[in-house]
Amino acid sequence: HVLYKGCLFMVVGAIDHATGTRDLRQLGGLWRRDRLLGGITLVACASMAGLPFTTGFISKEATLAEMLTGAQGSPGTFALGCVLLTSVAKIVFSARVFAGAFLGRETATVKEHFHRPGRGLLVPPLLLALAIPVLGVFPGLLDGPLACLG
């Protein structure tokens, strides 16, 4: 959760810096201008949507597993419905964020104001975006280093 959320917050900052806005209605076509920023956003949105091989998928699976096998017994229909509804909402929201900012026609705002964000704005979200699939495929990778903290 923290990987995609942190990444997306930084992406929004980079987009705002590069275009002067974070309003999706004024964005579009950024993929043609900055594929690195687009790739970072795509990975973070995929994780928020809970697609396989991402940390978002792992966290959603862990939540469902805990609900179904946890100490509190079987979840009610309402609880499962809420999980399903929020999962669908995150998929739709992720698609909307990526498509609204990066796909489609380049808007007047993007044409007039876009300048490529510097490395200082892109390296931190890039590192988080790289960690998303790595830890999504190898979720136990940090077990050892994090064990010393607990």
Side-chain angles (χ1 to χ4, degrees), residues 67 74-84:
M67 283 182 70
S74 176
T77 304
F78 179 74
L80 285 175
C82 287
V83 169
L84 178 63

Side-chain angles (χ1 to χ4, degrees), residues 54-76:
T54 68
T55 53
F57 178 82
I58 300 290
S59 69
K60 284 168 185 49
E61 287 294 308
T63 300
L64 280 174
E66 185 62 30
M67 283 182 70
L68 296 174
T69 62
Q72 298 186 16
S74 176

Side-chain angles (χ1 to χ4, degrees), residues 134-145:
V134 171
L135 295 173
V137 174
F138 305 105
L141 205 57
L142 293 178
D143 287 352

Side-chain angles (χ1 to χ4, degrees), residues 65-126:
E66 185 62 30
M67 283 182 70
L68 296 174
T69 62
Q72 298 186 16
S74 176
T77 304
F78 179 74
L80 285 175
C82 287
V83 169
L84 178 63
L85 183 63
T86 58
S87 294
V88 169
K90 283 187 176 185
I91 292 169
V92 170
F93 180 74
S94 297
R96 172 71 177 114
V97 166
F98 183 78
F102 290 92
L103 303 180
R105 288 187 171 179
E106 201 172 86
T107 64
T109 300
V110 171
K111 286 179 185 176
E112 293 171 21
H113 299 286
F114 182 83
H115 63 279
R116 192 172 308 274
R119 288 186 186 126
L121 284 176
L122 292 180
V123 168
L126 174 62

